[in-house]
Amino acid sequence: MTTRTLIVGDVHGCREELEDLLEESGWDDGDDLVLVGDLVAKGPDSLGVLRLIRKLGGRAVRGNHDQHCLKWWDARQAGEDPPKLRPAHQRVAEELEEEDWRWLAGLPLWLELPEHDALVVHAGLVVDLPLEEQDPYDLMNMRSILEDGSASRSYEEGTPWARLWPGPRLVVFGHDAVRGLQNHPHAVGLDTGCVYGGWLTGLWLPRRDLVARAQPMRSQGKIEGMEVFVCRREELREGEVRTTRLGLDADGIPIAALLLIDTNGDIVAYRNLCRHLPVPLDGGTGQLLSEDGAHLICGTHGAMYRLHDGYCVDGPCEGLALQQLFVREEAGDLYVSDTSKPR
């Protein structure tokens, strides 16, 4: 009898969602558990994710965010000054203990599953290049293949590498939350943006059955169409940003919204999506405002957006503006919809 294997997409510290996915998928101790990397950072419980996987005897490959954290640990091990980390990675550095670091450092760049004629990597593979000759950086970071056949981190240029993968061996990967679920004949991408308010997705082998677990909404309300109740007016305070999830856009990317009081005292809402690259401003950390509270800030790229109109005044997308959304007030209740507000 062939062993069942559940391969799980990017967890990013979302321990509760991983537990729920395992329960709802019917996984048990007799099944194998494999994860596509990016186990840590951005989500609320990176330490809990690592210890749950270890407890269950799961395996994983190394993701780019795992690697970012390991650079810090490697420097400490070598007696060197550790690099400065972004807040999401610094939290991991402060939480993990020696046994956790050693397990994380032992993650390979790929896992072969010969019983399923399958291979697991975090990001991707360059077509027609032997596995042993693949660049480790590409294995953890690539998304596309350019016209010259080289790998690229970009999702805007080139062709999704999985679309070009000829097989026959199946490759299962993660890393590409923007494109979301990718289900090609010989390659399956499982990053569906759980930490950004999307889904945690798993793939059963050998049947290739997909299972998913939705990230709970962070707002107080329920979705009615594409308008969501967020909070009462009196509950929204200056210097505070409320977040909520509205659903998915036409490309399957989660629509997350930010609700706040701007510098003029008006209530405004923006789509939680940086204009430089379409990633949430908070990167899953919950840190959305600059230190002085005068700007929304992208934790990934450092872009600074004015509160009253969403325009970027500093950073790689200077001059561009966040997508402003409609806010409706009814008897003191504040609602946000996915409809863009004209400028």
Side-chain angles (χ1 to χ4, degrees):
M1 181 177 176
T2 303
T3 301
R4 295 198 314 168
T5 300
L6 180 64
I7 306 176
V8 179
D10 301 44
V11 176
H12 276 301
C14 296
R15 177 188 55 80
E16 292 184 2
E17 286 70 37
L18 177 57
E19 290 178 333
D20 290 344
L21 180 68
L22 293 174
E23 180 178 354
E24 293 178 14
S25 69
W27 185 90
D28 62 36
D29 292 339
D31 299 319
D32 286 339
L33 175 64
V34 177
L35 295 97
V36 302
D38 276 3
L39 310 176
V40 301
K42 299 186 178 183
D45 193 3
S46 293
L47 178 62
V49 167
L50 294 186
R51 296 199 171 169
L52 175 62
I53 297 169
R54 290 167 53 201
K55 176 183 176 182
L56 299 176
R59 296 180 290 164
V61 296
R62 184 181 302 195
N64 58 307
H65 286 277
D66 307 321
Q67 179 68 12
H68 287 323
C69 296
L70 284 167
K71 288 179 180 178
W72 184 91
W73 186 70
D74 289 341
R76 290 287 298 270
Q77 291 294 102
E80 303 170 354
D81 291 335
K84 184 178 180 180
L85 299 177
R86 294 171 181 158
H89 301 110
Q90 185 61 43
R91 286 213 316 268
V92 177
E94 294 169 355
E95 289 178 354
L96 268 56
E97 298 179 359
E98 185 73 14
E99 59 179 351
D100 307 304
W101 283 116
R102 293 193 178 280
W103 188 85
L104 194 66
L107 296 181
L109 294 175
W110 68 81
L111 280 171
E112 298 189 72
L113 306 177
E115 68 275 23
H116 303 301
D117 194 22
L119 177 74
V120 179
V121 298
H122 176 62
L125 295 166
V126 175
V127 178
D128 297 329
L129 189 65
L131 186 57
E132 294 75 14
E133 297 179 18
Q134 300 276 341
D135 187 327
Y137 180 86
D138 291 340
L139 291 171
M140 291 185 285
N141 291 276
M142 68 177 289
R143 294 185 177 93
S144 303
I145 298 290
L146 301 178
E147 289 185 5
D148 64 3
S150 63
S152 171
R153 294 175 59 185
S154 175
Y155 63 90
E156 295 177 320
E157 299 179 345
T159 302
W161 74 269
R163 189 184 301 169
L164 303 174
W165 186 251
R169 181 158 58 168
L170 177 70
V171 179
V172 186
F173 64 101
H175 185 62
D176 199 344
V178 171
R179 292 187 176 124
L181 180 67
Q182 299 179 58
N183 198 356
H184 300 285
H186 302 293
V188 180
L190 296 178
D191 188 358
T192 45
C194 178
V195 77
Y196 303 133
W199 287 261
L200 184 62
T201 300
L203 176 73
W204 276 112
L205 295 181
R207 292 175 55 90
R208 287 190 64 163
D209 293 332
L210 290 163
V211 291
R213 169 66 182 176
Q215 167 75 294
M217 288 175 55
R218 298 178 183 177
S219 71
Q220 300 179 27
K222 298 181 179 180
I223 294 178
E224 296 179 3
M226 295 295 280
E227 183 180 69
V228 175
F229 163 72
V230 182
C231 63
R232 295 279 299 168
R233 171 181 272 273
E234 62 266 23
E235 295 171 342
L236 186 64
R237 305 181 186 280
E238 292 186 14
E240 175 189 15
V241 181
R242 292 287 183 121
T243 62
T244 190
R245 192 182 62 170
L246 297 172
L248 298 177
D249 66 14
D251 297 319
I253 300 174
I255 302 175
L258 310 173
L259 183 70
L260 63 144
I261 299 174
D262 69 15
T263 48
N264 298 320
D266 298 322
I267 296 175
V268 294
Y270 301 104
R271 186 171 180 186
N272 187 11
L273 211 60
C274 181
R275 288 303 308 274
H276 178 54
L277 288 175
V279 296
L281 298 185
D282 55 346
T285 66
Q287 299 177 6
L288 287 158
L289 291 173
S290 57
E291 290 185 4
D292 60 5
H295 298 86
L296 288 165
I297 184 169
C298 176
T300 301
H301 307 108
M304 305 277 284
Y305 298 92
R306 294 189 305 221
L307 298 186
H308 70 278
D309 59 10
Y311 274 89
C312 179
V313 296
D314 187 26
C317 46
E318 186 173 353
L320 300 178
L322 298 173
Q323 178 185 352
Q324 192 164 2
L325 304 176
F326 268 111
V327 179
R328 182 173 67 87
E329 182 175 357
E330 181 178 336
D333 290 338
L334 297 177
Y335 297 81
V336 175
S337 73
D338 68 325
T339 307
S340 296
K341 183 177 180 180
R343 293 188 178 275

